[in-house]
Amino acid sequence: RLAAVPTDKRVLVTSHDAFGYFGRAYGFEVIGLQGVSTASEVGTAQRDQLADTLGRRVPAVFTETSVPSDGLKAVLDDVRKKHGHA
C-alpha cells in the first residue's frame, strides 16, 4: 500500500519526531509537530511552515489518541485559512 503513495505525497506528519526510522525505510519525509519531545512548544515559524506543507502535499491527517491534539488542530486551522482546505 505504501508503494501506491506518489513520491511527492510521501509525507508523514506526527505529533513528535519519533518515526524517522519509518521514513528512512519507506521513503517518507517525516515531520514532527513538536520535535522529538511531546512536551516542547511549537513555534510560530514551524507552525507556518507545517501549514504550508500540509496544504500543498498532505491529503489526509490522522491524530494520535495519546497526545493532546491542540497543536495539530491549530496547524489545520492555519491550513484552512491559507489554502482553503484541510
Side-chain angles (χ1 to χ4, degrees):
R1 293 202 183 262
L2 294 176
V5 178
T7 55
D8 65 327
K9 299 284 187 192
R10 291 185 182 185
V11 179
L12 173 64
V13 179
T14 64
S15 297
H16 48 84
D17 190 13
F19 292 95
Y21 70 92
F22 176 89
R24 287 186 299 277
Y26 298 104
F28 276 70
E29 176 184 2
V30 178
I31 301 170
L33 181 62
Q34 298 175 323
V36 175
S37 170
T38 58
S40 65
E41 291 293 322
V42 179
T44 303
Q46 180 185 8
R47 197 171 112 180
D48 191 52
Q49 181 181 6
L50 182 55
D52 283 341
T53 298
L54 288 172
R56 288 181 284 111
R57 299 176 57 197
V58 179
V61 175
F62 304 93
T63 61
E64 296 177 62
T65 58
S66 63
V67 177
S69 60
D70 294 344
L72 185 55
K73 285 181 183 178
V75 171
L76 293 176
D77 285 343
D78 292 347
V79 172
R80 288 182 193 95
K81 289 175 191 170
K82 290 177 124 183
H83 300 278
H85 64 277

